[in-house]
Amino acid sequence: MSKYITTPIYYVNGEAHIGHAYTTFIADTITRYEKLKGEKTYFLTGTDEHGQKIEESAQKNNKRAQEFADEISATFKNLWDEFEIDYDKFIRTTDAEHKAGVQKAFLAMHAKGDIYKDFYEGHYCVSCETFFPETQLIDGEFCPDCGRTTSVVKEESYFFKLSSYEDRLLKHYEDNPDFILPRSRANEVINFVKGGLRDLSVTRTSFTWGVKMPESLNDDKHVMYVWLDALLNYITALGYGKDDANMDFWPASTHFVGKDILRFHAIYWPAFLMSLDLPLPKHIGAHGWWTRDGEKMSKSKGNVIAPKDVADAYGVENLRYFMLREVPFGQDGDFSQRALIDRINSELSNDLGNLLNRIIGMSGKYSDFEINSKDVIKYHERELDAMNEALGNLDAFMQNMQTHRYLEELWKLFSIGNVAITSFEPWAKMKEGKVDEALATVALVANILAKAAIMLSPVMPKTTHTIADALCFEINTESYNTLVIEKNLLKLFNIKKVPPLFPRVEEPLMPEAPVAQPNAPKVQEKKEKHIIKEEDDNLIEIGQFFETSLKIGTVVEAEEVPKSKKLLKLQVDLGEDSNRQVVAGIKEFYSAESLVGTQVCVVANLKPAKLMGMMSEGMLLAAKDEDGLCLVRPEKPKKAGTPIG
């Protein structure tokens, strides 16, 4: 069965950041894993290059829109090439073939009666390229997604009948519970659809940088809505609109996306496909965001991480390993140099690299570098069983995109190898004349390393090639079947010397993120009827109060935090594209079950913090006295995301 795996196409309003790299690493790893198993694969990535935001950015840089898009798109492609990302196609939405496919799809939906012309008036966010009803705006003005000011736009538009697909979408979610992964992300999509879908404006007349209308409609003042244009890349890349050369790969196995664009992929895209009578993708995998040292990354703070800088300092494969190991798929992750260094030194250098060095050294000393597996089963049946059990668990983790669990389970093999050397002491066996036993332990570890290298290769392809070369075999589907599936052992070979794979890192190799400075005190104006005395240190200005964003939230999920007497982990709907995870110390006063479906008051612009290793993206308001603690709640139910103030 073929596998079609995609990243989102990255918007060319700026160069690649660490979040782009994370998505691409996951998709590349899954693709390499499927290839290793012998599956036929097609891996797509690329850039999204149309829309008002790009047109305005180009103008600010005194460039033509195409020139601006060419330059930024090239930075993405060059970076993925430098990182040796194994994609089959790098698509650009300015490609002529893509634009032809979009026009074909538009005509097909128009002919079906799913696209009609009308007028639209609403609040438009240029940054998000999205219209929002007034009920969703913050303070009646600001975008609920990015917080920027919206503008009221009235223009003629073509509309897609999204509302007519509401029931079909809900049935698809119900019939395919793994359509959205992780499953915890599905509730926000389902609730959004149940809230009622409005027909979607799919063209614009207020700017020109976009895919033109099909000539047969004779309406050249319109250009395509950027999200209609962008989402169709997944089929135009396969030849839709031209020759259908690779459409046998459709439907996609997995679309990997960030949680901020899940709604577009899980609602708009399936509806477009239903209109085109095409099957829906099997899975949409939505991952979380990355912070830096616990703070959200932003250009203004100067703490945005360029993946090339990290790769140049620490190595791209070390970066791949860290990002795929550090965070459960779907949750937010935090990048810190200290955490990266710890994983390099502990897991890569100590557990893996040192294990290879030990058997190279022992085999050189005991058998002139010759390794023979003939006695491994005789002396190490228990270790082989433990190894094979761990290997057997790996596929389920990868299929569920849980790369952190995959690597955690894989690392059990290195533990088995290190423990075997410590327990069986080959050096002692050699002194006792038990040469066969000593060499069997060395061969056991060589086989552990070989099998582990095969399974680690989708994550660290170049490193594992070096390991396999030292062990005199090649990593491919044949060796995967022979050594992992059929559980065979390595044939007689001579191990090669290799330099240390993971030199220890003693100090950070990049500049640390700038430390946020407290705001300078504001000059207090002295007014006739309102004088603030110097000793009133606890008084604040009204503007300072409004710097805190308080919102009504609905608790959609709640669970106890293991090994904690105080903490509950909540998923809170704040009217955003995705739920917020809030870790709250209220377990002594509330059960997890009692909170689901209730409403709370949330400090929504608190910087993320880690509690017991979990990211908390807000704080609940509560009052506590000698009688205990109670949450602050709205008197009557309010829409999730309603501002307080």
Side-chain angles (χ1 to χ4, degrees):
M1 185 175 68
S2 62
K3 301 283 185 176
Y4 181 30
I5 296 161
T6 71
T7 71
I9 48 174
Y10 302 118
Y11 207 43
V12 294
N13 59 328
E15 295 185 6
H17 56 64
I18 203 76
H20 298 132
Y22 177 59
T23 319
T24 309
F25 288 158
I26 292 173
D28 185 63
T29 296
I30 299 291
T31 301
R32 290 176 182 273
Y33 179 77
E34 295 297 342
K35 281 186 176 180
L36 179 68
K37 292 166 58 180
E39 300 287 358
K40 184 182 178 183
T41 65
Y42 197 93
F43 174 22
L44 176 70
T45 189
T47 46
D48 179 8
E49 303 176 25
H50 288 131
Q52 185 176 356
K53 184 161 52 173
I54 302 305
E55 187 174 73
E56 291 180 356
S57 295
Q59 290 169 356
K60 288 177 183 177
N61 287 274
N62 297 315
K63 294 178 179 176
R64 292 179 296 104
Q66 185 66 61
E67 179 187 8
F68 180 80
D70 288 345
E71 290 179 2
I72 303 297
S73 178
T75 66
F76 278 90
K77 188 175 187 302
N78 292 340
L79 185 64
W80 301 156
D81 289 344
E82 183 176 335
F83 283 2
E84 298 187 17
I85 301 300
D86 193 21
Y87 59 81
D88 291 281
K89 184 178 181 67
F90 186 98
I91 191 170
R92 299 180 58 188
T93 56
T94 52
D95 292 341
E97 293 174 356
H98 167 75
K99 289 187 282 189
V102 172
Q103 290 169 336
K104 176 185 176 181
F106 192 96
L107 281 175
M109 290 188 281
H110 186 270
K112 193 173 183 178
D114 279 343
I115 289 180
Y116 63 93
K117 188 191 286 190
D118 204 337
F119 281 87
Y120 189 91
E121 182 174 3
H123 293 265
Y124 186 65
C125 175
V126 173
S127 179
C128 297
E129 305 273 11
T130 305
F131 279 103
F132 293 97
E134 190 168 353
T135 55
Q136 291 184 16
L137 299 180
I138 300 171
D139 297 334
E141 179 184 359
F142 301 103
C143 173
D145 286 351
C146 71
R148 293 179 173 86
T149 302
T150 60
S151 56
V152 177
V153 174
K154 182 176 182 179
E155 63 183 29
E156 183 182 75
S157 177
Y158 284 85
F159 288 82
F160 174 76
K161 289 184 179 179
L162 185 64
S163 59
S164 67
Y165 287 93
E166 187 174 312
D167 292 339
R168 283 185 65 182
L169 287 168
L170 290 172
K171 187 175 189 312
H172 185 77
Y173 304 146
E174 182 180 356
D175 293 345
N176 300 274
D178 287 332
F179 178 63
I180 299 169
L181 293 173
R183 288 191 177 189
S184 58
R185 293 270 175 222
N187 286 340
E188 65 200 62
V189 172
I190 293 170
N191 290 336
F192 187 92
V193 176
K194 285 183 176 178
L197 296 178
R198 302 171 61 190
D199 288 352
L200 182 67
S201 172
V202 291
T203 65
R204 299 287 183 269
T205 60
S206 55
F207 59 91
T208 60
W209 183 238
V211 178
K212 308 300 181 185
M213 295 291 285
E215 288 185 7
S216 60
L217 293 179
N218 193 27
D219 204 347
D220 58 6
K221 69 179 180 180
H222 287 263
V223 295
M224 305 282 187
Y225 171 46
V226 66
W227 273 106
L228 174 65
D229 163 19
L231 289 165
L232 286 164
N233 93 90
Y234 299 125
I235 56 175
T236 64
L238 299 178
Y240 179 88
K242 185 190 175 188
D243 55 14
D244 293 343
N246 289 304
M247 281 298 288
D248 56 323
F249 280 101
W250 190 259
S253 305
T254 308
H255 291 316
F256 285 102
V257 301
K259 65 180 182 180
D260 54 324
I261 56 174
L262 175 60
R263 186 177 75 217
F264 301 98
H265 284 80
I267 300 175
Y268 299 173
W269 180 224
F272 294 158
L273 289 167
M274 290 174 180
S275 180
L276 294 170
D277 296 318
L278 289 172
L280 273 56
K282 301 298 183 185
H283 306 292
I284 298 172
H287 64 74
W289 293 329
W290 282 82
T291 56
R292 183 174 187 179
D293 298 318
E295 288 198 349
K296 186 175 181 180
M297 284 181 269
S298 72
K299 291 180 180 178
S300 61
K301 290 181 180 178
N303 66 346
V304 175
I305 302 171
K308 178 170 169 44
D309 292 345
V310 185
D312 288 346
Y314 294 96
V316 65
E317 297 214 332
N318 291 349
L319 175 61
R320 282 176 69 113
Y321 174 80
F322 170 77
M323 299 194 80
L324 298 178
R325 176 68 179 86
E326 181 73 3
V327 60
F329 183 83
Q331 295 186 19
D332 290 346
D334 186 64
F335 179 91
S336 76
Q337 288 195 80
R338 181 49 54 193
L340 172 58
I341 291 169
D342 286 347
R343 289 207 183 274
I344 291 172
N345 289 343
S346 174
E347 295 165 17
L348 295 177
S349 182
N350 287 354
D351 295 344
L352 170 53
N354 190 48
L355 188 61
L356 178 62
N357 293 337
R358 293 177 81 180
I359 66 160
I360 290 174
M362 286 189 287
S363 64
K365 188 175 181 180
Y366 305 154
S367 58
D368 197 24
F369 298 105
E370 183 180 273
I371 293 182
N372 194 330
S373 302
K374 63 182 180 66
D375 292 323
V376 173
I377 296 175
K378 177 180 178 181
Y379 293 109
H380 293 292
E381 186 174 2
R382 186 176 64 178
E383 287 76 21
L384 290 174
D385 288 344
M387 174 189 69
N388 288 325
E389 180 182 359
L391 288 169
N393 294 333
L394 295 177
D395 188 66
F397 293 131
M398 192 66 85
Q399 297 303 328
N400 287 308
M401 307 171 202
Q402 297 298 322
T403 58
H404 73 294
R405 290 295 312 278
Y406 178 93
L407 291 168
E408 182 182 316
E409 190 73 10
L410 181 57
W411 243 247
K412 289 181 180 179
L413 272 67
F414 304 130
S415 177
I416 293 168
N418 281 305
V419 169
I421 290 174
T422 302
S423 301
F424 293 99
E425 298 182 331
W427 52 91
K429 293 289 193 298
M430 291 296 293
K431 290 180 180 179
E432 296 168 7
K434 300 177 179 178
V435 176
D436 288 349
E437 291 185 39
L439 296 183
T441 300
V442 174
L444 166 71
V445 176
N447 278 279
I448 287 173
L449 282 166
K451 295 167 191 276
I454 292 170
M455 303 311 290
L456 183 59
S457 64
V459 178
M460 306 181 78
K462 293 185 74 172
T463 300
T464 50
H465 173 80
T466 300
I467 296 172
D469 185 60
L471 299 174
C472 295
F473 78 100
E474 291 185 11
I475 295 176
N476 50 35
T477 302
E478 181 182 355
S479 60
Y480 166 79
N481 287 329
T482 301
L483 295 176
V484 178
I485 302 302
E486 298 169 9
K487 303 178 183 179
N488 293 316
L489 300 178
L490 293 168
K491 296 179 179 179
L492 179 70
F493 71 97
N494 281 73
I495 196 168
K496 301 175 185 176
K497 290 183 179 181
V498 295
L501 296 177
F502 308 102
R504 290 185 61 83
V505 181
E506 301 301 335
E507 297 292 337
L509 303 177
M510 295 167 51
E512 296 287 2
V515 178
Q517 298 299 318
N519 293 330
K522 296 179 180 178
V523 177
Q524 176 64 48
E525 293 184 2
K526 183 176 179 180
K527 298 184 180 179
E528 244 180 51
K529 296 183 179 180
H530 187 65
I531 300 174
I532 305 298
K533 297 180 181 179
E534 289 183 7
E535 60 267 24
D536 290 338
D537 293 332
N538 292 325
L539 297 178
I540 64 171
E541 295 176 318
I542 188 68
Q544 289 175 276
F545 170 76
F546 283 115
E547 288 177 3
T548 302
S549 175
L550 304 176
K551 294 183 181 181
I552 300 297
T554 302
V555 179
V556 295
E557 295 179 24
E559 60 182 282
E560 295 184 356
V561 175
K563 300 180 181 179
S564 173
K565 295 180 180 179
K566 296 183 178 181
L567 297 181
L568 294 178
K569 184 171 69 172
L570 313 177
Q571 299 295 326
V572 183
D573 178 8
L574 289 178
E576 302 168 338
D577 281 344
S578 59
N579 297 328
R580 294 277 195 100
Q581 179 168 287
V582 178
V583 182
I586 58 174
K587 184 176 175 181
E588 298 173 81
F589 307 98
Y590 293 90
S591 68
E593 296 78 11
S594 70
L595 292 173
V596 176
T598 65
Q599 292 200 306
V600 290
C601 299
V602 181
V603 181
N605 63 340
L606 199 66
K607 74 176 184 179
K610 274 192 174 182
L611 298 173
M612 291 189 68
M614 295 173 295
M615 193 64 67
S616 183
E617 302 171 298
M619 183 174 72
L620 306 187
L621 297 186
K624 186 177 182 182
D625 59 14
E626 62 274 7
D627 294 325
L629 176 144
C630 66
L631 292 168
V632 177
R633 301 173 183 269
E635 182 180 355
K636 298 178 180 179
K638 291 291 180 183
K639 185 175 180 179
T642 300
I644 303 170

